[in-house]
Amino acid sequence: MMENKIEDDDVVVCESKKQQQQLLNCMISSWFPHFKHVSLKTEIIPLPSAFIDFLNEDGIYMPRSAFPTYDTLSDGDGDDDGGWDNESSDEEESNKTASFPELEEKINNIISHFGGSVFPKMNWSSPKDAAWMSVGGNLQCQTPHDIFLLLKSSDFITHDLSLLTKQEYVLALRKWYDVHPSMEFRCFVRHGVLVAISQRDYTNYYEFLAQMKDDIESKIFNFFSVNISGQFPDQDYTFDVYLSRQRRVWLLDFNPFDTSTEPLLFDWDEIFMMTDNNNGDNNNGDNNNGDN
């Protein structure tokens, strides 16, 4: 079983040590090494404190070296460049700058290794709320600049940055796959029992899912039984999965079993009532009864 014990003041926003430990267990750097054989290809980079400071600073500005290079006008290409260069120079001098060449080199190497595109996230969150900032309107990144822009623009990442004091912040780069949102699911585990499954893209209705319901439940329950049950250190948690076209189940993420995690098609009162009833019916809760 994976194990990552909390130290004093590692996590600063939770009310109890138990909640702090649960949050720590759900960091991708905690769970991925144990579950990498059933998860997406991922490389994890420890982030220097200077980069965390850069993310925490107000405003959106990028390290100059992170920008992709393009052909530019030379001094003699314009009809009249008088004053333009001076104005640009003055503006550049007033701009904030940052430089992370070693981090950018690591990112470029990983992007190349993964075929040219990656999906970024930090310890817990991906910057999905900032996807509108990217050219494609998604989290597909091909350069360090793409990644830095998303991280710098995301409220989700800002929240991540408020959680830790001593534990290391990381950048996880996952190989980019064109996944269909209809086949992503969130699974709720209570007292070690998989009690509920919800589609993650809950704002859209996919008619074909009703016909596949039994098959989806069977594959997820089997995946849980073989690969996760008894191997994650908490008894209460959620995990997200993706069903590929070949109907293989892939683990995407873990999240705490509490109101900080979106319940999607459920609400938390409903889930707690469901799990309390389920636990009472099954005495020790050692039978899997799922609701979708």
Side-chain angles (χ1 to χ4, degrees), residues 95-139:
N95 285 343
K96 296 180 179 180
T97 60
S99 179
F100 309 102
E102 293 183 4
L103 176 60
E104 291 166 28
E105 182 180 6
K106 291 179 181 178
I107 290 173
N108 280 321
N109 289 339
I110 293 171
I111 290 174
S112 177
H113 176 67
F114 283 157
S117 296
V118 296
F119 169 101
K121 68 174 296 176
M122 286 188 59
N123 297 49
W124 296 279
S125 304
S126 65
K128 61 182 180 181
D129 59 318
W132 61 275
M133 294 284 290
S134 70
V135 174
N138 56 34
L139 299 185

Side-chain angles (χ1 to χ4, degrees), residues 12-232:
V12 298
V13 298
C14 298
E15 296 180 356
S16 69
K17 281 291 184 182
K18 180 179 179 181
Q19 289 174 310
Q20 292 176 6
Q21 187 63 60
Q22 289 173 339
L23 194 61
L24 186 62
N25 291 338
C26 290
M27 291 197 307
I28 190 168
S29 53
S30 296
W31 64 260
F32 180 77
H34 185 80
F35 295 99
K36 63 186 302 182
H37 63 292
V38 292
S39 190
L40 305 181
K41 293 180 180 179
T42 302
E43 293 289 342
I44 297 175
I45 306 173
L47 291 173
S49 58
F51 186 76
I52 302 303
D53 293 339
F54 158 72
L55 293 180
N56 276 320
E57 287 183 2
D58 293 335
I60 298 177
Y61 64 95
M62 295 293 105
R64 194 166 302 172
S65 59
F67 280 92
T69 57
Y70 304 100
D71 289 336
T72 56
L73 291 171
S74 66
D75 289 344
D77 285 337
D79 291 335
D80 181 10
D81 60 359
W84 190 3
D85 285 346
N86 290 335
E87 182 180 343
S88 298
S89 298
D90 292 341
E91 183 178 340
E92 288 174 2
E93 289 176 3
S94 66
N95 285 343
K96 296 180 179 180
T97 60
S99 179
F100 309 102
E102 293 183 4
L103 176 60
E104 291 166 28
E105 182 180 6
K106 291 179 181 178
I107 290 173
N108 280 321
N109 289 339
I110 293 171
I111 290 174
S112 177
H113 176 67
F114 283 157
S117 296
V118 296
F119 169 101
K121 68 174 296 176
M122 286 188 59
N123 297 49
W124 296 279
S125 304
S126 65
K128 61 182 180 181
D129 59 318
W132 61 275
M133 294 284 290
S134 70
V135 174
N138 56 34
L139 299 185
Q140 183 178 13
C141 295
Q142 298 178 324
T143 67
H145 173 266
D146 295 341
I147 295 169
F148 295 168
L149 179 62
L150 289 174
L151 298 181
K152 188 73 173 166
S153 306
S154 171
D155 289 337
F156 293 169
I157 297 302
T158 299
H159 179 260
D160 271 19
L161 295 175
S162 71
L163 296 180
L164 294 177
T165 56
K166 293 182 181 178
Q167 285 287 326
E168 187 173 58
Y169 283 105
V170 300
L171 174 64
L173 299 180
R174 320 197 78 173
K175 183 174 181 178
W176 175 262
Y177 299 92
D178 289 318
V179 300
H180 198 292
S182 65
M183 300 306 289
E184 294 183 65
F185 300 92
R186 175 156 295 166
C187 309
F188 299 82
V189 178
R190 178 73 160 166
H191 305 305
V193 178
L194 177 54
V195 294
I197 301 171
S198 169
Q199 66 186 68
R200 287 186 67 186
D201 186 18
Y202 66 99
T203 60
N204 291 305
Y205 174 70
Y206 299 98
E207 186 174 357
F208 65 89
L209 287 180
Q211 303 171 1
M212 301 172 58
K213 176 178 179 294
D214 291 342
D215 184 51
I216 290 172
E217 285 186 351
S218 175
K219 291 188 181 302
I220 291 178
F221 271 107
N222 183 67
F223 176 82
F224 170 73
S225 177
V226 172
N227 298 293
I228 297 180
S229 180
Q231 300 184 51
F232 192 74

